[in-house]
């Protein structure tokens, strides 16, 4: 916008300068020409009194040489021959001074009796008629050099050009300053909007610049304050809702303590303890005064293989009780991802919890991990009935399984946000086991993969996952069937 304003101002100023300078330059040239010929007329008039008195050659020669143009050879007098005398003789025509005009031009002036300007070599000749006492018409010729006709014109044009350039430069400078005054607040507003979109919620815009931009800055700051307030209210609501779980958890923990000894009792007490820990973590996180995305350094990542092995170790015990076949592949080496350990664990628990909640007992499931260089693909597959509408299942708040009791639909949303925080995505499809396959694409460099590359990764993920499942049938590892 700044350069557009400068270009417009430059064009307008240039047109104005041309519109005034060109006619003014032509007027100056005409004025210089009129001045030169007016001086020539005055010089021609200086010899007229002498012509009215005498036509004697010697007298006229002295009169011509006594003038400034005559002394320079710029003045000439043409006297026609007089009529016949009393003795029958004819007079002689007189040409005094340096002739430059042609005889034809002189004769035309003598015949018409009007002054004329003839173009001659090196300039112009002013032919001024003067009446003699004899009734004849004499012609006074004054030579006007070309330099006198255009005297001062070049200087005036240079001055006009200099003034025009100065006006253009000045207008461009003023337009640039005005553009800066308008563009800088707009750039600050755009930058602040981008910062706010990236999660820097403390970003505000100085209320400066033109009235419209100041109004936009006020509106932006008000919007940012409302966003911060809404996020704070949401965190408080999450904390309050989580805090309500403490009472039933306390009752559940007391009941679990009275179960006595045994594997089932220990598993129940461990699950209650884990649940209390997760609730405490949610409350502490929700009560933080500063969002995690605002300032500071991002949380360190984690080893996806380690987290998956740990969570599969937790869920495999329940899987054994329900007679579910469990397969795990791709977790035999360290795979670092830019996701915090609690977030990845929560995402895995959400997916595996859906498998146990929405598939019949005895339904097999598998977890495969594939590292493709710029991303990590985690596949959670089951042999259940599948999802009729995967697109609806990904909508926040929608039920993961239509009509499933106790489903809030937020589990898949948690997984999706974990994937998208790294530039990846979440997709639901049909698994090779016959049920649902949930694919988590976790970007390693913060760049969202291209569409074609995502499709390629999905095909590779399925192929690797199937091979991993085949290998898992012959190997025993964390999460394998006990």
């Amino acid at each position: 916008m700044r350069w557009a304003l400068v270009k417009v101002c430059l064009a307008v100023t240039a047109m104005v300068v041309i519109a005034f300078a060109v006619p003014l330059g032509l007027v100056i040239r005409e004025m210089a020409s009129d001045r030169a010929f007016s001086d020539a007329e005055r010089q021609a008039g200086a010899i007229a009194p002498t012509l009215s008195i005498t036509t004697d050659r010697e007298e006229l020669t002295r009169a011509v040489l006594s003038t400034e143009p005559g002394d320079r050879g710029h003045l000439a007098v043409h006297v026609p021959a007089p009529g016949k005398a009393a003795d029958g003789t004819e007079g002689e025509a007189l040409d005094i001074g340096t002739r430059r005009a042609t005889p034809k031009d002189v004769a035309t002036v003598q015949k018409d009796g009007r002054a004329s300007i003839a173009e001659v070599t090196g300039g112009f000749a002013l032919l001024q008629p003067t009446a003699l006492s004899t009734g004849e018409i004499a012609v006074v010729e004054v030579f006007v050099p070309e330099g006198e006709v255009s005297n001062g014109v070049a200087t005036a044009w240079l001055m006009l050009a200099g003034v025009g350039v100065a006006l253009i430069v000045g207008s461009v400078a003023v337009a640039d300053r005005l553009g800066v005054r308008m563009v800088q607040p707009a750039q600050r507003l755009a930058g602040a909007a981008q910062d706010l979109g990236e999660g820097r919620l403390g970003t505000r815009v100085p209320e400066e610049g033109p009235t419209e931009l100041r109004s936009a800055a006020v509106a932006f700051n008000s919007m940012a304050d409302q966003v911060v307030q809404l996020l704070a209210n949401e965190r408080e609501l999450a904390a309050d809702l989580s805090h309500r779980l403490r009472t039933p958890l306390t009752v559940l923990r007391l009941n679990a303590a009275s179960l006595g000894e045994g594997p089932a009792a220990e598993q129940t007490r461990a699950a209650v303890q884990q649940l209390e820990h997760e609730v405490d973590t949610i409350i502490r996180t929700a009560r933080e005064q500063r969002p995690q995305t605002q300032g500071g350094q991002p949380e360190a990542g984690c080893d996806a293989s380690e987290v998956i092995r740990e969570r599969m170790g937790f869920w495999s015990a329940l899987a054994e009780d329900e007679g579910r076949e469990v397969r795990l592949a791709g977790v035999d080496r360290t795979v670092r991802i830019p996701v915090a350990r609690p977030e990845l664990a929560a995402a895995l628990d959400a997916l595996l919890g859906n498998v146990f909640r929405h598939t019949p007992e005895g339904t097999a499931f598998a977890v495969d991990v594939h590292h493709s260089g710029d991303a990590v693909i985690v596949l959670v597959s089951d042999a259940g009935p599948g999802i009729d509408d995967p697109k609806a299942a990904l909508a926040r708040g929608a039920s993961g399984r239509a009509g499933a009791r106790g489903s809030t639909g937020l589990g898949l949303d948690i997984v999706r946000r974990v994937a998208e925080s790294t530039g990846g995505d979440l997709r639901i499809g049909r698994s090779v086991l016959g049920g649902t396959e949930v694919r988590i694409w976790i970007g390693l460099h913060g760049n969202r993969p291209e569409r074609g590359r995502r499709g390629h990764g999905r095909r590779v993920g399925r192929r690797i996952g199937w091979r991993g499942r085949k290998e898992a049938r012959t190997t025993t590892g964390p999460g394998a069937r006990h």
Side-chain angles (χ1 to χ4, degrees):
M1 188 174 73
R2 172 184 175 185
W3 292 115
L5 180 62
V6 170
K7 290 178 180 179
V8 171
C9 186
L10 176 62
V12 172
T13 306
M15 288 190 295
V16 172
V17 168
I18 292 174
F20 280 93
V22 171
L24 187 57
L26 296 176
V27 169
I28 290 174
R29 188 178 67 178
E30 292 297 328
M31 290 177 60
S33 177
D34 292 344
R35 183 179 64 250
F37 288 114
S38 297
D39 290 342
E41 290 178 359
R42 178 180 55 79
Q43 294 167 1
I47 202 68
T50 304
L51 286 171
S52 64
I53 297 174
T54 180
T55 57
D56 182 69
R57 178 182 291 274
E58 293 182 359
E59 293 293 334
L60 290 177
T61 300
R62 283 196 297 271
V64 169
L65 294 177
S66 65
T67 63
E68 179 184 354
D71 185 55
R72 292 186 298 163
H74 291 176
L75 182 62
V77 178
H78 308 289
V79 181
K84 291 183 179 181
D87 57 1
T89 60
E90 294 184 357
E92 182 183 0
L94 299 178
D95 286 323
I96 300 172
T98 304
R99 173 195 287 269
R100 288 181 174 82
T102 63
K104 181 180 179 180
D105 293 334
V106 174
T108 300
V109 173
Q110 288 175 342
K111 179 181 178 181
D112 297 340
R114 292 196 303 267
S116 176
I117 298 175
E119 187 173 354
V120 298
T121 304
F124 301 89
L126 173 66
L127 302 176
Q128 181 71 37
T130 302
L132 301 176
S133 59
T134 61
E136 302 290 339
I137 300 296
V139 177
V140 180
E141 177 186 341
V142 180
F143 174 67
V144 182
E146 178 69 30
E148 292 184 6
V149 175
S150 60
N151 183 28
V153 175
T155 302
W157 283 7
L158 287 176
M159 292 180 62
L160 285 176
V163 172
V165 171
L167 287 175
I168 292 176
V169 172
S171 65
V172 169
V174 172
D176 183 69
R177 292 299 91 197
L178 291 176
V180 169
R181 185 171 176 268
M182 295 177 60
V183 170
Q184 284 185 345
Q187 290 177 339
R188 286 195 293 266
L189 183 60
Q194 184 176 1
D195 292 341
L196 184 64
E198 293 176 354
R200 290 186 279 275
L201 302 182
T203 302
R204 297 296 183 272
V205 182
E207 299 172 4
E208 302 173 349
T211 304
E212 294 78 5
L213 291 177
R214 286 201 302 270
S215 300
V218 171
F220 176 85
N221 293 336
S222 176
M223 178 194 68
D225 293 338
Q226 291 180 4
V227 169
V228 172
Q229 184 62 40
L230 289 174
L231 289 177
N233 294 340
E234 185 178 356
R235 291 196 302 272
E236 289 298 325
L237 178 61
D240 293 342
L241 293 176
S242 301
H243 195 272
R244 295 180 185 179
L245 297 176
R246 286 187 178 275
T247 299
L249 278 177
T250 301
V251 175
L252 185 61
R253 178 167 52 82
L254 294 176
N255 291 338
S258 62
L259 293 178
E261 301 297 334
E266 291 298 329
Q267 292 177 5
T268 302
R269 283 189 285 268
V272 172
Q273 184 179 2
Q274 177 68 21
L275 185 58
E276 285 183 327
H277 173 73
E278 295 296 338
V279 170
D280 291 340
T281 301
I282 293 174
I283 295 175
R284 285 195 302 270
T285 302
R287 290 299 174 95
E288 287 183 357
Q289 297 298 320
R290 177 178 58 85
Q292 297 179 359
T293 56
Q294 179 180 351
Q297 297 295 329
E299 291 190 42
C302 66
D303 180 5
S305 298
E306 180 184 357
V307 175
I308 293 174
R309 288 195 301 266
E310 176 187 344
R311 300 318 300 158
M312 286 296 291
F314 172 81
W315 289 100
S316 60
L318 182 58
E320 184 177 4
D321 292 341
E322 294 186 358
R324 298 175 181 268
E325 182 182 358
V326 180
R327 299 185 180 93
L328 178 64
V331 294
D332 52 347
R333 65 189 183 97
T334 301
V335 180
R336 300 292 302 180
I337 60 173
V339 177
R341 183 186 186 92
E343 295 181 4
L344 179 59
L348 288 172
D349 288 343
L351 293 179
L352 296 175
N354 282 341
V355 172
F356 281 87
R357 190 177 301 113
H358 303 300
T359 60
E361 292 187 9
T363 301
F365 67 93
V367 176
D368 303 315
V369 180
H370 173 59
H371 187 200
S372 64
D374 60 348
V376 171
I377 303 170
V378 180
L379 299 173
V380 178
S381 309
D382 63 60
I387 298 178
D388 295 333
D389 191 352
K391 184 176 180 180
L394 290 175
R396 177 179 173 85
S399 175
R401 308 271 179 170
R405 183 180 178 183
S407 174
T408 64
L410 298 181
L412 289 178
D413 186 68
I414 293 173
V415 181
R416 177 182 57 79
R417 285 188 282 113
V418 169
E420 291 180 351
S421 68
T422 66
D425 61 12
L426 174 69
R427 290 178 181 259
I428 298 178
R430 177 68 63 176
S431 73
V432 295
L433 297 179
T436 302
E437 178 185 83
V438 180
R439 189 213 66 177
I440 311 174
W441 184 299
I442 301 175
L444 299 181
H445 307 294
N447 297 324
R448 188 176 183 84
E450 299 177 0
R451 186 176 300 274
R453 291 177 59 85
R454 287 201 303 267
H456 174 72
R458 183 167 61 253
R459 292 190 298 269
V460 171
R462 288 182 175 178
R463 186 168 62 250
I464 296 298
W466 177 242
R467 184 169 61 248
R469 297 185 191 112
K470 292 174 63 178
E471 294 172 354
R473 293 192 182 99
T474 58
T475 58
T476 303
R481 183 179 175 91
H482 292 182

